[in-house]
Amino acid sequence: MKPVRVGVLGLGTVGGGTVNVLKRNAEEIARRAGREIVVTRASARDLNRARICDTQGIALTTDPFEIVNDPEIDVVVELIGGYDLAKQLVLTAIANGKHVVTANKALIALHGNEVFAEAGKKGVMVLFEAAVAGGIPIIKAIREGLAGNQIQWLAGIINGTGNFILTEMRDKGRDFADVLAEAQALGYAEADPTFDVEGIDAGHKLTILASIAFGIPLQFDKVFTEGITKITRLDVEYAEALGYRIKNLGIARKTESGIELRVHPTLIPKRRLIANVEGVMNAVLVCGDAVGPTLYYGAGAGAEPTASAVVADLVDVVRAMTSDPENRVPHLAFQADAIADIPVLSADAIRTAYYLRLTAEDKPGVLADVTRILAKYNISIEALIQKEPPQGETSVAIIMLTQQTLEKEMNAAIADIEALTAVSGKVARIRLETLG
Amino acid sequence: MKPVRVGVLGLGTVGGGTVNVLKRNAEEIARRAGREIVVTRASARDLNRARICDTQGIALTTDPFEIVNDPEIDVVVELIGGYDLAKQLVLTAIANGKHVVTANKALIALHGNEVFAEAGKKGVMVLFEAAVAGGIPIIKAIREGLAGNQIQWLAGIINGTGNFILTEMRDKGRDFADVLAEAQALGYAEADPTFDVEGIDAGHKLTILASIAFGIPLQFDKVFTEGITKITRLDVEYAEALGYRIKNLGIARKTESGIELRVHPTLIPKRRLIANVEGVMNAVLVCGDAVGPTLYYGAGAGAEPTASAVVADLVDVVRAMTSDPENRVPHLAFQADAIADIPVLSADAIRTAYYLRLTAEDKPGVLADVTRILAKYNISIEALIQKEPPQGETSVAIIMLTQQTLEKEMNAAIADIEALTAVSGKVARIRLETLG
C-alpha cells in the first residue's frame, strides 16, 4: 500500500520531535501499522530557524493553509497551539475531509465540541492523545481500556511545571518564588507562568479527561481552579510531618448530585503511589467501578514523549482509513508478516547486576579470596558489607552488590567462591536492576 | 442496531464477574460501544452450583461446544482456563467465524502463534487483554498507545501472589513458608502454588508482553524463570538496608545480541515507583525510545478487575464488527448522541477534607473559639497540632486536618475564624484527598 502522507503544522519542540520519531522509527512503525507514514509537508513561521529535526524530503512552507488545503495530504498534524489560528486550520482540514491529530489541549478543551461535531459530519477522526499528559496513553486507557467501567473519579498530576515546583519546595526546603525563577531558567516554566501555576493548563486537560470519563460535553468554564502560588514552605513541612505530600491535582468525581471538576493543591497520603511522582513527571489515577484504582505514569511533556502520543494517534488513523480487516490492530502488535525471529538469549548471556550473600569463617584472607575471584571474572563490586558474627559464633555474613556482568561469569565466580574452604554452604544470589 | 450476542465459556470467578459487569454497566457500555452487548448463553461444569452472578436470561449448558457451534453467537468469551479443552474450543469458535475474547494466558503463551494464524485466515479477532495484569490495559497501552516507539525494555510485577508474599515478608519480617500458607488460606495462592512461586504464571505473561513489545513470536519455552522460594527474611532485610526492595519481576529487554526474557526475584531501588507496588497489585514499567519510562498500575486479578479487561475487549470487537465510521472509537469516548449533560457542581458544592493553618495569639480560649466555629458548621476535626511560639513571640500556629465537608460550610467557617480578634491574617487552606 502507498504511504500515508502527513502534513505537520508547526515545527517547534513537538513538531520537530514528531518528525524525528517518524523518521527514526519508520521501519518499526510500518511493521505495526502495515503502511508507511511519511511527513511530506510541514509549515513553520520562520524557515531559516535552526531546528531539532532533519527536514530533508519535507516540503516546507510558511503558510499552513497550503497544507490543510493540499489534496495530496491525508492527515494533518496540528502542533501550532493556541486557539484561533489552530481552530481555523483544523476546521479547514476537516472540511477538506482530512483526519486530524493534535496536541492542542486548549483547542480541544475550549472548542472540542464544535470541532468534533464538524468531524462527525465529515466522517473524519480528530485524535488528541498528546493533549493530555504527553506520552502517557491516558486518553486511550480511559476511552478504550476501561470501557467496561463506570468511572467513579480520577485525579491527576497533569502539569509538570507545577509538580516540579512543589517537588523542589519539598526536597530542598525552598520558597515558591525561588523555585519558579529556576524553572523559568531551565525552560520548564514560561516567562508568563500563569497557565501553569494558576491551574489553567491542568484545567484544560482535566476538562478533556472528565468528558471521556463521564460522557459529558467539554466545559472548561465550569472547572474550579486554584493555583499553587500561595503554598508556603511551612505548609509543605507541616503536611510532611502529618504524613502527607502536597501535589497539584486535577480532580473529576461523579457524585449523586453532579460532577466535581477542580484543580487545586491537595494534601495526599505519602504512601500513595501518586504522592511519589516527582519533578516534571505526570501521573493519572483513574478509579472504575469494576477495575478499582489504576495508575498511569510517564513524561507529561517534551519533544519525543509528546511525539510518541502523536505517532500513536497517526497509527490509529491509518488503521481507520481502510475498513479492511487486515488493517485492524494485529494480534501481536506487529503485522503477521512482520514478526521477526530475533534470537532470545540463553540464561548464560543475560547481563545484570547482583546481590550476593555468603557465610564465611571470620578469619583474615577470606575477603581477599572472594574479591580476587570476582576480579578474575571481571566483576566489579559496587558495595560490600560484612556483618560481625553473633557472640559465640565464628562465621560472618558477607553481602555484596556487584556491577553488571554476564550471568555466565557470575555462575563461574560463584562456583569458585563456594569451593573456598572458608566459605560454608551456598552463595545466595539475587539479580539487581536499577530500572533507570 | 441489534445487540451483540456473547457466549461465555466458564462461569467461575472471572465468568461471573464478566456477567455482572455487563449487566450492571449495560447502559454505560452501550453508550460507548453504540450497541448493546448481551450474554445470551453460558457454559458451566455444574449447573447447580451457587454463583456470584445472576444468570437470569442466560441459557445455560454443561457443554461448551454447543456455544462455540451456535450460529446465534457473535463472540465467544473463553474463561475456562487451561490448555487442551480451551484450545479446542477457541479453534472451533474461530473455524465457525466467531471473534474470541480470552483471559487465558497459558493458552496464548503456548498456543497463541497457532491460534492467531487460524484467526488471521478466518478474519476474526482474538483479544486477550485480561490475560496479562488483570484490569490494567497494558496490552492496549503497548500495542497501540506506544506504537510510535522502539520498545527498549519492560519490567513488570505480573504475579499478585508472589508480590503479596514478598510484601508480607518485608512488612512483617515473616518467613516465606509462613506467608505462603496464609496466602493459600486467603485464596491468593493455589493449593499447588508452583505456577505462582516458581515464576511460571509470570513467564506466561512475560512471553505475551515481549511479543507485542518487540514483534517476536510467542516462545514461552525460552523464558528463564527462577522462583521466589529461596528468598529469606535475611535477604529482604539486607536489601532494605542497602536501599533496595526485592520484587519478583518479569523482564524483557532488547539488546544488540538478542532479547532477554527472564522472571526472577530482583533487587530494585526503593525510590522507584514500582518498588512501592504492594500486596496483590500489579504494575508494568515500559521504556520506549521516544516516550522514556512509563508505568501502568492496578489490580492484576480478581473477578471484576479481570472482567473490566474482558469487557473492554468486547467493546473493541464490537467496533471491528462493522466497518461503518460510526463504529469507530467516539471522540469523547461515548457516542455523540449519548453524551449526557450531567450538571457540573459549583465550587460551593465540592465535598473534600481540609488542611487549615492559622496564626493566633497564645492565650486561653482561642482554640475553644476556633473549634466552636467548626462545630457550628458541622465540620469534624481529624487532627490538630499547635506549634509553640518562637521565643519572644506571642502568636502560635494552629494546624488542623478536618474530615470531609462542603466547601460552602468551610468558606463560612473560615470567614468566622478570620473575624476572631485573636486570629491574625488569613487562614491558609489546602484541600485534602485520601484517594483511597
Side-chain angles (χ1 to χ4, degrees):
Chain A
M1 262 194 285
K2 65 178 188 179
V4 174
R5 291 151 308 187
V6 174
V8 173
L9 313 181
L11 279 180
T13 305
V14 179
T18 300
V19 168
N20 281 337
V21 171
L22 281 170
K23 284 198 177 183
R24 187 178 69 234
N25 294 350
E27 191 196 328
E28 197 91 344
I29 293 165
R31 282 177 66 205
R32 290 195 180 94
R35 274 177 87 172
E36 280 180 77
I37 301 174
V38 179
V39 178
T40 55
R41 299 197 71 170
S43 74
R45 260 182 302 194
D46 176 0
L47 298 185
N48 298 315
R49 206 169 134 188
R51 313 220 161 270
I52 59 167
C53 65
D54 169 14
T55 54
Q56 212 192 337
I58 303 174
L60 299 180
T61 172
T62 54
D63 179 10
F65 284 96
E66 276 183 21
I67 295 176
V68 296
N69 287 317
D70 181 347
E72 298 290 308
I73 292 293
D74 301 307
V75 190
V76 167
V77 176
E78 186 277 302
L79 302 171
I80 289 177
Y83 308 90
D84 295 339
L85 177 61
K87 183 182 170 190
Q88 223 184 317
L89 287 164
V90 165
L91 289 176
T92 309
I94 292 170
N96 288 330
K98 297 187 196 310
H99 301 289
V100 175
V101 172
T102 177
N104 190 332
K105 50 224 151 200
L107 174 71
I108 299 297
L110 272 76
H111 304 295
N113 298 323
E114 182 187 345
V115 167
F116 298 145
E118 292 305 314
K121 284 183 212 158
K122 297 293 288 187
V124 297
M125 297 171 80
V126 177
L127 294 184
F128 50 93
E129 182 64 80
V132 182
I136 308 172
I138 185 66
I139 302 287
K140 186 173 280 286
I142 300 175
R143 196 160 60 172
E144 303 173 39
L146 304 182
N149 290 265
Q150 296 187 51
I151 307 294
Q152 297 169 321
W153 54 267
L154 60 87
I157 296 174
I158 45 182
N159 179 274
T161 308
N163 201 49
F164 172 80
I165 292 173
L166 290 172
T167 302
E168 287 288 299
M169 286 178 70
R170 193 196 79 229
D171 276 3
K172 301 182 184 153
R174 293 169 66 188
D175 280 317
F176 175 81
D178 178 26
V179 181
L180 174 60
E182 190 202 342
Q184 288 171 320
L186 286 171
Y188 290 164
E190 307 283 333
D192 174 0
T194 314
F195 261 50
D196 290 321
V197 302
E198 295 296 353
I200 299 165
D201 172 75
H204 287 153
K205 296 166 182 167
L206 183 69
T207 301
I208 299 171
L209 290 177
S211 275
I212 62 168
F214 305 126
I216 56 174
L218 295 154
Q219 39 203 330
F220 171 68
D221 56 323
K222 295 196 181 149
V223 179
F224 168 79
T225 54
E226 184 177 291
I228 59 171
T229 54
K230 282 181 288 187
I231 301 294
T232 66
R233 252 161 63 175
L234 217 53
D235 294 319
V236 172
E237 280 163 27
Y238 289 146
E240 198 75 18
L242 288 157
Y244 293 83
R245 296 254 160 90
I246 301 178
K247 292 289 179 188
N248 193 28
L249 294 188
I251 298 171
R253 173 151 44 203
K254 198 170 177 181
T255 74
E256 285 188 11
S257 42
I259 287 167
E260 295 182 357
L261 289 183
R262 47 195 171 102
V263 175
H264 51 68
T266 316
L267 268 74
I268 53 180
K270 257 195 262 195
R271 66 179 183 282
R272 299 268 178 247
L273 227 44
I274 195 170
N276 296 287
V277 171
E278 309 288 20
V280 295
M281 299 304 278
N282 278 200
V284 183
L285 186 53
V286 185
C287 192
D289 69 335
V291 76
T294 57
L295 181 100
Y296 309 85
Y297 162 91
E304 294 218 349
T306 311
S308 169
V310 169
V311 176
D313 277 352
L314 281 171
V315 173
D316 274 358
V317 167
V318 170
R319 297 204 191 291
M321 281 172 69
T322 70
S323 57
D324 191 335
E326 296 282 317
N327 246 47
R328 288 181 195 147
V329 181
H331 289 112
L332 292 177
F334 293 72
Q335 300 291 318
D337 59 7
I339 303 269
D341 217 346
I342 308 168
V344 174
L345 297 174
S346 69
D348 269 2
I350 292 170
R351 276 192 77 82
T352 182
Y354 293 83
Y355 159 100
L356 303 176
R357 176 175 54 79
L358 54 101
T359 309
E361 286 173 47
D362 186 20
K363 64 175 194 185
V366 177
L367 207 54
D369 285 343
V370 169
T371 52
R372 180 186 46 75
I373 291 171
L374 291 173
K376 178 178 145 197
Y377 292 101
N378 287 311
I379 301 169
S380 303
I381 297 170
E382 178 80 26
L384 190 150
I385 311 177
Q386 181 164 328
K387 291 277 175 186
E388 288 310 304
Q391 219 163 11
E393 285 192 30
T394 56
S395 65
V396 291
I398 298 171
I399 297 109
M400 283 173 291
L401 303 184
T402 77
Q403 292 188 353
Q404 282 208 350
T405 183
L406 272 183
E407 180 99 359
K408 188 181 169 182
E409 305 287 347
M410 182 53 79
N411 289 340
I414 287 176
D416 283 10
I417 292 170
E418 287 175 348
L420 292 172
T421 52
V423 170
S424 56
K426 292 279 179 191
V427 173
R429 162 248 305 266
I430 309 175
R431 294 168 192 83
L432 182 155
E433 297 283 341
T434 56
L435 304 177
Chain B
M1 263 194 286
K2 66 177 188 179
V4 174
R5 291 152 308 186
V6 174
V8 173
L9 313 182
L11 278 179
T13 305
V14 180
T18 300
V19 168
N20 281 337
V21 170
L22 281 170
K23 284 196 177 186
R24 186 178 71 234
N25 294 350
E27 191 195 328
E28 197 92 344
I29 293 165
R31 283 177 65 206
R32 290 195 180 93
R35 274 176 88 172
E36 281 180 76
I37 300 174
V38 179
V39 178
T40 55
R41 299 196 73 172
S43 74
R45 260 181 303 194
D46 176 0
L47 298 185
N48 298 314
R49 207 170 132 188
R51 314 220 162 269
I52 60 166
C53 64
D54 171 14
T55 55
Q56 215 190 337
I58 303 175
L60 300 180
T61 174
T62 54
D63 179 10
F65 285 95
E66 277 183 20
I67 296 177
V68 296
N69 287 317
D70 182 347
E72 298 290 308
I73 292 294
D74 302 307
V75 190
V76 167
V77 176
E78 186 277 303
L79 302 172
I80 289 177
Y83 308 88
D84 295 339
L85 177 61
K87 183 182 170 190
Q88 222 183 317
L89 288 164
V90 165
L91 288 176
T92 309
I94 292 169
N96 288 329
K98 297 185 196 310
H99 301 288
V100 175
V101 172
T102 178
N104 191 334
K105 50 223 149 201
L107 175 70
I108 299 298
L110 272 76
H111 304 296
N113 299 323
E114 181 186 345
V115 167
F116 298 144
E118 291 305 312
K121 284 183 211 158
K122 298 291 289 187
V124 298
M125 298 170 77
V126 176
L127 294 184
F128 50 92
E129 181 64 80
V132 182
I136 309 172
I138 185 66
I139 301 287
K140 186 174 280 285
I142 300 175
R143 197 161 59 173
E144 304 173 37
L146 304 182
N149 290 265
Q150 295 188 50
I151 306 295
Q152 296 169 320
W153 55 267
L154 60 87
I157 295 174
I158 45 181
N159 179 275
T161 307
N163 201 49
F164 172 81
I165 292 173
L166 290 173
T167 303
E168 287 287 299
M169 286 177 70
R170 193 196 80 228
D171 277 4
K172 300 180 184 153
R174 294 168 65 187
D175 280 317
F176 174 81
D178 178 27
V179 181
L180 174 61
E182 189 203 344
Q184 287 171 320
L186 286 170
Y188 291 163
E190 307 284 333
D192 175 359
T194 314
F195 261 50
D196 290 321
V197 302
E198 295 296 354
I200 299 165
D201 173 75
H204 287 152
K205 295 166 182 167
L206 182 70
T207 300
I208 299 172
L209 291 176
S211 275
I212 62 169
F214 306 125
I216 56 173
L218 295 153
Q219 38 203 332
F220 171 69
D221 56 322
K222 295 197 182 148
V223 178
F224 169 79
T225 55
E226 183 177 291
I228 58 171
T229 55
K230 282 181 288 186
I231 301 294
T232 66
R233 254 162 60 178
L234 218 55
D235 293 319
V236 172
E237 281 163 27
Y238 289 146
E240 198 74 19
L242 288 159
Y244 293 83
R245 295 254 160 88
I246 302 178
K247 292 288 179 189
N248 193 27
L249 293 188
I251 299 171
R253 173 153 41 204
K254 198 170 177 181
T255 73
E256 284 188 11
S257 42
I259 288 168
E260 295 183 357
L261 289 183
R262 46 193 171 106
V263 176
H264 51 68
T266 316
L267 269 74
I268 53 180
K270 258 194 261 194
R271 65 180 185 281
R272 298 270 178 247
L273 227 44
I274 196 170
N276 296 287
V277 171
E278 307 288 20
V280 295
M281 300 304 278
N282 279 198
V284 183
L285 186 53
V286 185
C287 192
D289 69 336
V291 75
T294 58
L295 180 100
Y296 309 85
Y297 163 92
E304 295 217 350
T306 311
S308 169
V310 169
V311 176
D313 276 352
L314 281 170
V315 173
D316 273 358
V317 167
V318 170
R319 299 206 191 288
M321 280 172 69
T322 70
S323 56
D324 190 335
E326 296 281 315
N327 247 47
R328 287 181 195 146
V329 181
H331 288 112
L332 291 177
F334 293 73
Q335 300 291 318
D337 58 8
I339 302 268
D341 216 344
I342 307 169
V344 174
L345 298 174
S346 68
D348 269 2
I350 291 171
R351 277 190 77 80
T352 182
Y354 292 84
Y355 159 100
L356 303 175
R357 176 175 53 80
L358 53 102
T359 309
E361 288 173 44
D362 186 19
K363 64 177 194 183
V366 178
L367 207 53
D369 285 343
V370 169
T371 55
R372 180 186 47 75
I373 290 171
L374 291 173
K376 181 178 144 197
Y377 292 101
N378 287 309
I379 300 169
S380 302
I381 297 170
E382 178 81 24
L384 190 149
I385 311 176
Q386 182 165 325
K387 291 276 174 186
E388 289 310 304
Q391 221 164 8
E393 285 193 29
T394 57
S395 65
V396 292
I398 298 172
I399 296 109
M400 284 173 290
L401 303 184
T402 78
Q403 292 188 352
Q404 281 208 350
T405 185
L406 273 182
E407 180 99 359
K408 187 180 169 183
E409 306 286 348
M410 182 52 79
N411 289 339
I414 287 176
D416 284 11
I417 293 170
E418 287 175 348
L420 292 172
T421 50
V423 170
S424 56
K426 292 279 180 190
V427 174
R429 163 248 304 268
I430 309 175
R431 294 167 194 84
L432 181 154
E433 297 283 340
T434 56
L435 304 177

PDB file of all heavy atoms in Angstrom, chain B residues 250-261:
ATOM      1  N   GLY B 250       9.104  -9.814  35.954  1.00  0.00           N
ATOM      2  CA  GLY B 250       9.269 -10.352  34.621  1.00  0.00           C
ATOM      3  C   GLY B 250       9.960  -9.271  33.811  1.00  0.00           C
ATOM      4  O   GLY B 250       9.481  -8.140  33.760  1.00  0.00           O
ATOM      5  N   ILE B 251      11.103  -9.592  33.211  1.00  0.00           N
ATOM      6  CA  ILE B 251      11.889  -8.588  32.500  1.00  0.00           C
ATOM      7  C   ILE B 251      12.107  -9.030  31.057  1.00  0.00           C
ATOM      8  O   ILE B 251      12.489 -10.173  30.804  1.00  0.00           O
ATOM      9  CB  ILE B 251      13.277  -8.385  33.171  1.00  0.00           C
ATOM     10  CG1 ILE B 251      13.088  -7.885  34.616  1.00  0.00           C
ATOM     11  CG2 ILE B 251      14.145  -7.426  32.367  1.00  0.00           C
ATOM     12  CD1 ILE B 251      14.374  -7.872  35.433  1.00  0.00           C
ATOM     13  N   ALA B 252      11.843  -8.130  30.115  1.00  0.00           N
ATOM     14  CA  ALA B 252      12.157  -8.386  28.707  1.00  0.00           C
ATOM     15  C   ALA B 252      12.979  -7.205  28.222  1.00  0.00           C
ATOM     16  O   ALA B 252      12.578  -6.054  28.409  1.00  0.00           O
ATOM     17  CB  ALA B 252      10.882  -8.520  27.885  1.00  0.00           C
ATOM     18  N   ARG B 253      14.137  -7.484  27.657  1.00  0.00           N
ATOM     19  CA  ARG B 253      14.996  -6.397  27.213  1.00  0.00           C
ATOM     20  C   ARG B 253      15.600  -6.725  25.856  1.00  0.00           C
ATOM     21  O   ARG B 253      16.061  -7.834  25.624  1.00  0.00           O
ATOM     22  CB  ARG B 253      16.109  -6.143  28.231  1.00  0.00           C
ATOM     23  CG  ARG B 253      17.140  -5.139  27.735  1.00  0.00           C
ATOM     24  CD  ARG B 253      17.834  -4.378  28.831  1.00  0.00           C
ATOM     25  NE  ARG B 253      18.172  -5.225  29.961  1.00  0.00           N
ATOM     26  CZ  ARG B 253      18.351  -4.756  31.199  1.00  0.00           C
ATOM     27  NH1 ARG B 253      18.210  -3.471  31.444  1.00  0.00           N
ATOM     28  NH2 ARG B 253      18.680  -5.577  32.172  1.00  0.00           N
ATOM     29  N   LYS B 254      15.606  -5.721  24.976  1.00  0.00           N
ATOM     30  CA  LYS B 254      16.215  -5.899  23.660  1.00  0.00           C
ATOM     31  C   LYS B 254      17.652  -5.419  23.747  1.00  0.00           C
ATOM     32  O   LYS B 254      17.898  -4.263  24.106  1.00  0.00           O
ATOM     33  CB  LYS B 254      15.439  -5.067  22.636  1.00  0.00           C
ATOM     34  CG  LYS B 254      15.683  -5.472  21.207  1.00  0.00           C
ATOM     35  CD  LYS B 254      14.687  -4.763  20.308  1.00  0.00           C
ATOM     36  CE  LYS B 254      14.937  -5.078  18.850  1.00  0.00           C
ATOM     37  NZ  LYS B 254      13.978  -4.348  17.996  1.00  0.00           N
ATOM     38  N   THR B 255      18.586  -6.302  23.460  1.00  0.00           N
ATOM     39  CA  THR B 255      19.995  -5.897  23.458  1.00  0.00           C
ATOM     40  C   THR B 255      20.519  -6.082  22.035  1.00  0.00           C
ATOM     41  O   THR B 255      19.809  -6.600  21.177  1.00  0.00           O
ATOM     42  CB  THR B 255      20.831  -6.777  24.407  1.00  0.00           C
ATOM     43  OG1 THR B 255      20.996  -8.078  23.811  1.00  0.00           O
ATOM     44  CG2 THR B 255      20.157  -6.927  25.769  1.00  0.00           C
ATOM     45  N   GLU B 256      21.756  -5.702  21.827  1.00  0.00           N
ATOM     46  CA  GLU B 256      22.299  -5.832  20.470  1.00  0.00           C
ATOM     47  C   GLU B 256      22.422  -7.286  20.032  1.00  0.00           C
ATOM     48  O   GLU B 256      22.314  -7.598  18.855  1.00  0.00           O
ATOM     49  CB  GLU B 256      23.658  -5.139  20.373  1.00  0.00           C
ATOM     50  CG  GLU B 256      23.467  -3.636  20.319  1.00  0.00           C
ATOM     51  CD  GLU B 256      24.746  -2.886  20.028  1.00  0.00           C
ATOM     52  OE1 GLU B 256      25.751  -3.520  19.664  1.00  0.00           O
ATOM     53  OE2 GLU B 256      24.712  -1.648  20.168  1.00  0.00           O
ATOM     54  N   SER B 257      22.619  -8.180  21.010  1.00  0.00           N
ATOM     55  CA  SER B 257      22.809  -9.578  20.624  1.00  0.00           C
ATOM     56  C   SER B 257      21.520 -10.397  20.644  1.00  0.00           C
ATOM     57  O   SER B 257      21.510 -11.533  20.189  1.00  0.00           O
ATOM     58  CB  SER B 257      23.863 -10.227  21.531  1.00  0.00           C
ATOM     59  OG  SER B 257      23.683  -9.838  22.876  1.00  0.00           O
ATOM     60  N   GLY B 258      20.455  -9.834  21.174  1.00  0.00           N
ATOM     61  CA  GLY B 258      19.201 -10.578  21.196  1.00  0.00           C
ATOM     62  C   GLY B 258      18.295 -10.079  22.314  1.00  0.00           C
ATOM     63  O   GLY B 258      18.517  -8.999  22.857  1.00  0.00           O
ATOM     64  N   ILE B 259      17.321 -10.893  22.641  1.00  0.00           N
ATOM     65  CA  ILE B 259      16.322 -10.470  23.624  1.00  0.00           C
ATOM     66  C   ILE B 259      16.437 -11.283  24.898  1.00  0.00           C
ATOM     67  O   ILE B 259      16.523 -12.518  24.854  1.00  0.00           O
ATOM     68  CB  ILE B 259      14.905 -10.586  23.007  1.00  0.00           C
ATOM     69  CG1 ILE B 259      14.741  -9.473  21.968  1.00  0.00           C
ATOM     70  CG2 ILE B 259      13.822 -10.493  24.078  1.00  0.00           C
ATOM     71  CD1 ILE B 259      13.546  -9.608  21.079  1.00  0.00           C
ATOM     72  N   GLU B 260      16.487 -10.583  26.024  1.00  0.00           N
ATOM     73  CA  GLU B 260      16.469 -11.250  27.328  1.00  0.00           C
ATOM     74  C   GLU B 260      15.027 -11.434  27.764  1.00  0.00           C
ATOM     75  O   GLU B 260      14.246 -10.492  27.729  1.00  0.00           O
ATOM     76  CB  GLU B 260      17.178 -10.393  28.380  1.00  0.00           C
ATOM     77  CG  GLU B 260      18.660 -10.191  28.142  1.00  0.00           C
ATOM     78  CD  GLU B 260      19.302  -9.383  29.265  1.00  0.00           C
ATOM     79  OE1 GLU B 260      18.581  -8.932  30.185  1.00  0.00           O
ATOM     80  OE2 GLU B 260      20.530  -9.198  29.209  1.00  0.00           O
ATOM     81  N   LEU B 261      14.678 -12.648  28.185  1.00  0.00           N
ATOM     82  CA  LEU B 261      13.342 -12.933  28.720  1.00  0.00           C
ATOM     83  C   LEU B 261      13.541 -13.662  30.033  1.00  0.00           C
ATOM     84  O   LEU B 261      13.984 -14.814  30.035  1.00  0.00           O
ATOM     85  CB  LEU B 261      12.563 -13.862  27.778  1.00  0.00           C
ATOM     86  CG  LEU B 261      12.060 -13.335  26.455  1.00  0.00           C
ATOM     87  CD1 LEU B 261      11.260 -14.419  25.737  1.00  0.00           C
ATOM     88  CD2 LEU B 261      11.191 -12.111  26.667  1.00  0.00           C
TER      89      LEU B 261
END
